[in-house]
Amino acid sequence: YTWPSPQLDALEAARFDAHTGVLLAGVQPCDGFGGLPNTGRSNAADWVRTAYHDMATHNIADGTGGLDGSIRFEEERLRPENPGDGFNNTLAFLSATSNRYISIADSLALAAVIAIETCGGPEIPFRGNRIDATSPNSPGVPEPQQDIDSHIGAFARQGFNKEEMIGLVACGHTFGGVEHQTFPQIVPEMHDPKNKQSVQPFDSTFVTFDNNVATEYMSDTTQNPLVVALNDTFNSDKRIFGSDGNVTMKSFADSPSHFSSTCASLIARMIDTVPKGVQLTDVLEPLPIKPADVELQYDASRIKLSGNVRLWNTPEDDSRSVRLLYTDHLGGTGNLSLVFTGTFDSVGTKYTSAWYAFAPITQDNPFARVDIDPKSGIKSMSFIVNGKLEDQGGVGFAVEDRVMRSTSSCRVGGNISRIDVAVRTDASPLRVYVEELRFVFPHAPTIVEHDVPRPSGSQDQPYTIWSLNLAVPVEIGLMMYHIGAEFAGGVKYSTTSRYSAWASGPICADSQ
Ligand code: HEM
């Protein structure tokens, strides 16, 4: 795809620049769980299980249910088929990952992908644009005490045949285990200070993706509580794994790479099982050269540009030169040398990317911004890496400078904030508005628009300031917003940058 595309840019970043979000930190290390050591639990296992339970309501016949974040509704989450607190734990991460471009359902799919990829598993194709359900789905998650026919039936309803059922269960049950508190009938209390929540793991490497779930099962050394439970009623893995005469499990035990590639495609199908009518994006591929965090701010009659660029799958190299070239509205150009800021690993540690900032942070330039003359503005960027022009095949990287936040925005007094928007005078928008983000856990944020009144008076400057006073909710103390504008022909634009206004703190210099 061509940059900028706000939703794809955000999904691509969440997936390939996972170091910028909360998901990667949640599975580093892979036995991480709420910052507490020795629980026996892991976020990675919770996320993979939550993704399956959310998807497992799917009905292939009528297209209802699927991976749509419906597990966030208490009515669904508290059903007997969804026991345990792992879903709540997962939702805390999802709500911190979701934004106006990324649904809770996309965050859940991504959480499973990042957990598996970071903890030893294969690369999983990831698509975006899942839509969050607005109400709970019908029940349909399999439970361990059910018989094999009902499991085969449940997976068939979800769109998976018997072999695929065996595969999906084995791929999931390479992580985590069964917890005493949730299933006291299956797992006793262990009184083990290294396993405080008494979790009996499915295999000996329960925070790592590997085929031990199969090798230990085939060699009869398994401690999988759903295979060796004293009460055979609960041995669902035993019935499932054996349901084709162990053919599938043997193939997994014989070949780690077969297990890994089978899981990559089954997990991809699992997370792509969505309600009818949802149109997923193509599989996201990393952009080779990607601008990030690009932001324009209007500051005392100047435009300040900041941002970064990522060179995908590129190691650190002190001798590399990266330059930014930009064009303005009057046919002029500018260019500057970018500053190396670091490398980050992605997709486990399969890829490394090198990052460069548009401007160095110095005492004189603490926010690392580059000055742009408002008369000529900025239209498009390209990059020159070791002399080679990178401009998306000639189209460049377009920059929108018609509407931006002005740094004169400030708190007027009390909880009233003044939001100043700099609008390029010749752009003549039909409407300018503040897009207030409202967060209600555990849902994705919603947007409430507040029109910014058109200023009266002379408009002879390249930019005109439009202002709106808004009440910041005192209970939260903070309002987050984007700025939107509508132009002729129904064209809409929103800043990808998200801003904050506070209900307390310093107030506007001119209202003191
Ligand atoms: C017939 C199908 C299945 C049954 C009956 C089943 C049953 C169970 C049970 C009883 C637990 C223990 C939960 C707890 O103690 O909190 C569990 C955990 C888990 N399941 Fe399944 N499961 C099934 C399929 C799957 C599938 C298809 C996946 C994913 C692809 C999956 C992923 C997990 C994971 C990762 C855990 C560990 C959770 C943790 O340790 O926090 N399960 N499963």
Side-chain angles (χ1 to χ4, degrees):
Y1 73 94
T2 302
W3 191 96
S5 169
Q7 187 197 18
L8 293 175
D9 291 339
L11 287 163
E12 197 259 21
R15 195 229 179 302
F16 295 112
D17 305 329
H19 64 274
T20 59
V22 301
L23 292 177
L24 187 62
V27 292
Q28 281 180 329
C30 289
D31 65 354
F33 182 77
L36 306 168
N38 302 321
T39 56
R41 304 275 303 274
S42 69
N43 294 324
D46 277 356
W47 300 352
V48 173
R49 178 172 179 240
T50 305
Y52 175 62
H53 281 234
D54 193 65
M55 180 288 274
T57 59
H58 186 62
N59 185 329
I60 198 168
D62 62 13
T64 56
L67 212 158
D68 59 4
S70 59
I71 197 120
R72 72 193 198 286
F73 293 108
E74 211 159 63
E75 178 189 330
E76 183 169 322
R77 195 164 66 247
L78 296 182
R79 287 176 188 152
E81 65 187 31
N82 290 321
D85 61 7
F87 309 110
N88 268 333
N89 175 41
T90 305
L91 284 169
F93 287 91
L94 305 186
S95 67
T97 303
S98 296
N99 55 41
R100 67 181 299 177
Y101 308 113
I102 303 180
S103 62
I104 293 285
D106 275 347
S107 300
L108 178 53
L110 195 58
V113 167
I114 287 178
I116 293 169
E117 288 178 351
T118 306
C119 301
E123 194 169 337
I124 297 172
F126 174 72
R127 301 166 192 273
N129 204 36
R130 288 168 195 76
I131 309 287
D132 288 343
T134 52
S135 56
N137 287 325
S138 305
V141 185
E143 297 180 64
Q145 74 282 5
Q146 293 162 338
D147 64 20
I148 184 68
D149 287 339
S150 91
H151 287 153
I152 292 172
F155 277 84
R157 171 183 42 75
Q158 295 156 19
F160 296 88
N161 67 25
K162 189 168 75 181
E163 282 68 34
E164 293 162 345
M165 166 185 76
I166 300 166
L168 209 50
V169 174
C171 298
H173 289 179
T174 180
F175 284 109
V178 180
E179 194 190 341
H180 163 71
Q181 199 187 333
T182 317
F183 286 98
Q185 326 85 314
I186 306 179
V187 173
E189 188 150 14
M190 295 175 186
H191 306 288
D192 176 355
K194 291 208 150 44
N195 183 359
K196 289 185 188 144
Q197 298 196 18
S198 299
V199 178
Q200 186 171 331
F202 292 122
D203 70 18
S204 56
T205 48
F206 69 103
V207 291
T208 312
F209 177 97
D210 59 26
N211 69 338
N212 285 351
V213 63
T215 52
E216 292 165 14
Y217 168 79
M218 288 307 294
S219 65
D220 270 340
T221 56
T222 187
Q223 294 300 307
N224 179 339
L226 300 182
V227 174
V228 301
L230 288 178
N231 182 344
D232 205 36
T233 310
F234 291 100
N235 281 328
S236 53
D237 278 8
K238 182 170 132 191
R239 291 186 288 273
I240 287 170
F241 293 167
S243 65
D244 68 349
N246 288 337
V247 173
T248 300
M249 289 305 274
K250 180 169 186 313
S251 73
F252 290 159
D254 289 347
S255 166
S257 67
H258 173 63
F259 177 67
S260 184
S261 61
T262 306
C263 291
S265 74
L266 285 173
I267 297 283
R269 272 183 55 199
M270 173 179 102
I271 60 176
D272 289 353
T273 298
V274 292
K276 190 167 75 182
V278 174
Q279 194 69 46
L280 296 178
T281 66
D282 288 340
V283 171
L284 285 160
E285 302 290 348
L287 291 188
I289 306 283
K290 188 183 185 200
D293 320 310
V294 176
E295 185 182 342
L296 294 175
Q297 289 223 36
Y298 195 77
D299 180 35
S301 305
R302 284 173 304 179
I303 295 176
K304 300 211 164 223
L305 165 71
S306 58
N308 299 295
V309 64
R310 182 196 72 197
L311 312 189
W312 178 253
N313 205 15
T314 305
E316 182 171 349
D317 175 357
D318 290 346
S319 66
R320 182 183 300 117
S321 109
V322 180
R323 297 185 71 78
L324 165 67
L325 196 66
Y326 60 89
T327 57
D328 65 29
H329 295 285
L330 303 177
T333 62
N335 75 86
L336 53 126
S337 189
L338 305 192
V339 193
F340 174 70
T341 54
T343 58
F344 290 95
D345 286 341
S346 185
V347 188
T349 49
K350 284 199 180 73
Y351 309 100
T352 297
S353 34
W355 286 72
Y356 291 79
F358 289 5
I361 295 185
T362 63
Q363 233 164 10
D364 296 342
N365 194 13
F367 301 108
R369 300 188 190 281
V370 180
D371 280 350
I372 304 268
D373 182 352
K375 284 203 236 19
S376 38
I378 178 169
K379 203 170 150 191
S380 166
M381 305 184 292
S382 52
F383 300 92
I384 301 175
V385 180
N386 279 346
K388 182 170 179 268
L389 179 67
E390 299 284 359
D391 62 356
Q392 298 197 104
V395 296
F397 296 89
V399 180
E400 175 59 76
D401 70 354
R402 287 181 289 187
V403 181
M404 66 191 76
R405 181 178 180 273
S406 168
T407 55
S408 56
S409 303
C410 57
R411 187 169 74 92
V412 179
N415 66 325
I416 305 299
S417 209
R418 189 184 79 211
I419 293 169
D420 289 346
V421 184
V423 178
R424 210 171 79 216
T425 310
D426 66 12
S428 347
L430 303 176
R431 256 181 91 209
V432 171
Y433 44 94
V434 171
E435 299 175 304
E436 179 188 355
L437 296 171
R438 296 245 172 110
F439 297 84
V440 179
F441 183 83
H443 308 290
T446 53
I447 292 174
V448 179
E449 294 181 2
H450 305 276
D451 273 69
V452 183
R454 186 182 298 272
S456 50
S458 81
Q459 305 211 340
D460 53 357
Q461 294 298 311
Y463 280 81
T464 310
I465 301 292
W466 299 36
S467 292
L468 175 69
N469 283 354
L470 266 186
V472 174
V474 255
E475 336 62 91
I476 311 171
L478 162 74
M479 181 185 80
M480 292 210 229
Y481 64 96
H482 298 254
I483 294 168
E486 202 176 316
F487 302 95
V491 177
K492 283 188 166 189
Y493 163 73
S494 296
T495 62
T496 48
S497 303
R498 193 167 78 171
Y499 306 105
S500 306
W502 303 87
S504 62
I507 61 170
C508 306
D510 52 13
S511 30
Q512 271 165 356

